Amino acid sequence: MRLTRCQAALAAAITLNLLVLIYVSWLQHQPRHSRGRGSWRASAASGPRVTVLVREFETFDNALPELVDSLLQQDPAQPVVVVADSLPYPPLALPRIPNVRLALLQPTLDRPAAASRPQTYVNTEFVALVPDGTRAETPGQLERMVEALRQGNARLVAAPVATANPARCLALNVSLREWTAHYSAAPTAPRCDALDGDAVVLLRARDLFNLSVPLARPLGTSLFLQTALRGWAVHLLDWPFAAARQPPLGTAHARWKAEREGRARRAALLRALGIRLVSWEGGRLEWFGCGKETARCFGTVVGDTPSYLYEGRWTPPCCLRALRETARYVVGVLEAAGVRYWLEGGSLLGAARHGDIIPWDYDVDLGIYLEDVGNCEQLRGAEAGSVVDERGFVWEKAVEGDFFRVQYSESNHLHVDLWPFYPRNGVMTKDTWLDHRQDVEFPEHFLQPLVPLAFAGFMAQAPNNYRRFLELKFGPGVIENPEYPNPALLSLSGSR
């Protein structure tokens, strides 16, 4: 069968198209690092690979117009997304062009759900988180950061901004179980866990938007808490971005307002993320949990198993601090009044095990001699009704039975329980039993004499031979084999 000229031309065209498609497909599957030193320039010529996200700015005073203008001067097609919680006021002076967009995170009735998700506006492989006060002056700097990210082994790269507060490296350890974040000097700088100061941070879009709260403010605090928890390192490059020619927050009032609102945002963020204690480089501590004027961090305890244990966490550090303070104070009052007391139950177990409250415990237990109750003014008052003493601690008779309770404050019900025992035929007993494993009678000789034992930062009184005392209450090996208070509901290993 002979081909006509038309058929031959059609076959040649089809063959040529197939060859072109095969070549293009081959190019797309080549590793980027094998395409030559100028590969980022070639890639940039075909379109941006980076979306700039601007999240950290103040609506009342900012330099966003200068930042966006400098980016567009470098590349008129540069995608820029300015992210705000709600419509900024005063309105932002942004260019009205398709590649510069405003994303509002707060849902409204008249917009689809996707409009409140910033990833809706990102169609590039990479995103650069650029703070207000930055100016782009070096051509191709974002693409150089992309290549640094591709060629390195960190999940994020960053470049400092030449402001009065340029970024520096920090080590960061986040413990969800202990509700803490610990910052220290980075031993392997410029590879670090977190940054302190102004920086442009670049990472893959899929990594950013797979974080729990990708754009929560303050952005640096939020971002690095989440990435450090996942073990993602950030590489701080020595390629600084310029600072804005007219920096934001140029007046003392604007700086004061920004600092005040920044502290409030940070406190709200840390509480929302479950961070109750931040330890800074140098040892400075910041607390973000409950105090005298607030409720405690957890509700009513059911089955001896507080809610935080089901979340894979232990007692919040602010609660442990309040329990230590209350225990020290109560012991001081009892000793001054001549009331004989001793560490009981889980509190004695914590003291024997590591000299402190058990890390997942939610109260402190003390035994007292019933006959000594009348020696203490606060206990006598509690017999008649609730008493708030001069330090704000609340002394009362427990509603569950014939024992006393001292609460941290009227608002915060973290407490020390005081269990009145009395001897009968050489055995210590009491009138209220709450079906706890350790709630049993015991020989009085364990209290004759009492011995000092370190507990919660001070010396408390404890039964002599407290190992035998604890094993009588909890069973053999209890000191060496820690367990949650009700293993039938939840065990320390996590199995129910």
Side-chain angles (χ1 to χ4, degrees), residues 387-466:
V387 174
V388 182
D389 67 18
E390 69 279 0
R391 292 277 301 276
F393 293 92
V394 181
W395 298 70
E396 62 185 11
K397 202 72 173 287
V399 297
E400 299 97 319
D402 190 20
F403 64 99
F404 298 93
R405 178 163 288 161
V406 185
Q407 297 182 17
Y408 186 49
S409 71
E410 292 182 274
S411 300
N412 191 325
H413 294 174
L414 289 160
H415 57 266
V416 173
D417 284 336
L418 304 173
W419 300 92
F421 283 82
Y422 55 90
R424 185 172 60 194
N425 300 324
V427 174
M428 297 300 291
T429 187
K430 56 189 176 76
D431 293 332
T432 295
W433 304 93
L434 296 184
D435 196 29
H436 293 162
R437 179 183 176 191
Q438 71 273 20
D439 206 10
V440 297
E441 297 177 333
F442 58 91
E444 188 179 11
H445 67 71
F446 282 110
L447 308 180
Q448 296 175 341
L450 293 165
V451 298
L453 188 62
F455 176 70
F458 63 96
M459 296 302 294
Q461 295 296 306
N464 62 73
N465 203 343
Y466 53 79

Side-chain angles (χ1 to χ4, degrees), residues 138-166:
T138 305
Q141 190 161 4
L142 291 176
E143 285 293 336
R144 289 174 63 200
M145 293 179 72
V146 167
E147 292 308 310
L149 182 64
R150 286 191 177 279
Q151 294 169 11
N153 56 2
R155 294 287 283 267
L156 307 89
V157 295
V161 181
T163 61
N165 185 33

Side-chain angles (χ1 to χ4, degrees), residues 9-10 69 152 218-219 258 374 393 400 443 493-494:
L10 181 60
D69 181 63
L219 185 57
F393 293 92
E400 299 97 319
S493 63

Side-chain angles (χ1 to χ4, degrees), residues 100-275:
V100 177
R101 307 186 70 179
L102 177 63
L104 306 180
L105 300 183
Q106 189 175 83
T108 61
L109 291 174
D110 60 340
R111 295 189 303 148
S116 302
R117 295 193 290 265
Q119 56 265 48
T120 302
Y121 305 87
V122 176
N123 296 313
T124 57
E125 182 180 358
F126 301 93
V127 290
L129 306 173
V130 181
D132 189 19
T134 305
R135 180 178 179 82
E137 287 188 343
T138 305
Q141 190 161 4
L142 291 176
E143 285 293 336
R144 289 174 63 200
M145 293 179 72
V146 167
E147 292 308 310
L149 182 64
R150 286 191 177 279
Q151 294 169 11
N153 56 2
R155 294 287 283 267
L156 307 89
V157 295
V161 181
T163 61
N165 185 33
R168 64 187 184 93
C169 256
L170 291 174
L172 171 58
N173 179 267
V174 181
S175 173
L176 291 183
R177 188 179 70 180
E178 297 174 355
W179 310 71
T180 58
H182 177 76
Y183 293 87
S184 58
T188 58
R191 182 184 174 90
C192 41
D193 302 316
L195 301 176
D196 179 33
D198 298 324
V200 173
V201 180
L202 184 136
L203 69 164
R204 288 175 172 82
R206 68 169 182 266
D207 283 347
L208 175 66
F209 295 121
N210 276 331
L211 297 177
S212 305
V213 280
L215 294 176
R217 294 184 69 188
L219 185 57
T221 303
S222 167
L223 177 69
F224 295 121
L225 283 173
Q226 296 175 86
T227 57
L229 182 65
R230 289 161 172 79
W232 298 358
V234 54
H235 183 200
L236 183 60
L237 305 169
D238 190 22
W239 305 336
F241 278 77
R245 292 170 181 165
Q246 293 186 335
L249 310 176
T251 67
H253 177 74
R255 289 191 294 274
W256 168 81
K257 186 175 180 180
E259 289 171 3
R260 184 192 64 179
E261 295 190 3
R263 286 194 299 270
R265 285 190 204 106
R266 187 164 173 273
L269 170 74
L270 291 170
R271 290 190 180 101
L273 295 182
I275 301 297

